[in-house]
Amino acid sequence: MDDKAPSSSYYQQALEEYQELSKEEEEDDWDTRIDKTGCYVENMALQLCHADTNDWRQCLNEMALFKKCWESKGNRERVGTVDR
């Protein structure tokens, strides 16, 4: 599996939605916060999978992609300083 293009239909759908979203002039606060994590597409793919299957166990690939992205972007350390 190529890190640039994971083999997940949910990932591909999320990537397309992200590309469309980035064309919009007005950004949603939530989308902006998620985008700043660097893992917007992985987050969206996980949400799309869960919405489609209604079972997290069927989304293990998407969950792993999100976790890998989250950790590679240093979000664990960043969020740890915010949570109380």
Side-chain angles (χ1 to χ4, degrees), residues 7-45:
S7 61
S8 163
S9 61
Y10 297 111
Y11 184 90
Q12 295 305 321
Q13 183 181 350
L15 184 59
E16 290 170 13
E17 289 186 25
Y18 179 70
Q19 290 168 341
E20 286 298 314
L21 182 68
S22 65
K23 294 177 186 175
E24 294 180 7
E25 293 190 21
E26 191 172 314
E27 292 185 12
D28 178 84
D29 288 341
W30 174 256
D31 288 334
T32 300
R33 290 178 69 193
I34 298 299
D35 193 26
K36 286 181 181 179
T37 67
C39 300
Y40 186 94
V41 175
E42 291 80 2
N43 179 66
M44 177 62 73

Side-chain angles (χ1 to χ4, degrees), residues 34-80:
I34 298 299
D35 193 26
K36 286 181 181 179
T37 67
C39 300
Y40 186 94
V41 175
E42 291 80 2
N43 179 66
M44 177 62 73
L46 182 55
Q47 289 183 43
L48 289 169
C49 179
H50 184 258
D52 188 40
T53 64
N54 202 27
D55 183 358
W56 288 110
R57 295 169 295 182
Q58 294 184 38
C59 304
L60 296 178
N61 181 50
E62 289 73 20
M63 198 174 299
L65 291 171
F66 177 75
K67 181 179 179 183
K68 181 178 179 182
C69 178
W70 187 263
E71 291 175 353
S72 73
K73 303 292 183 184
N75 288 304
R76 180 180 300 259
E77 292 80 21
R78 182 183 61 82
V79 173

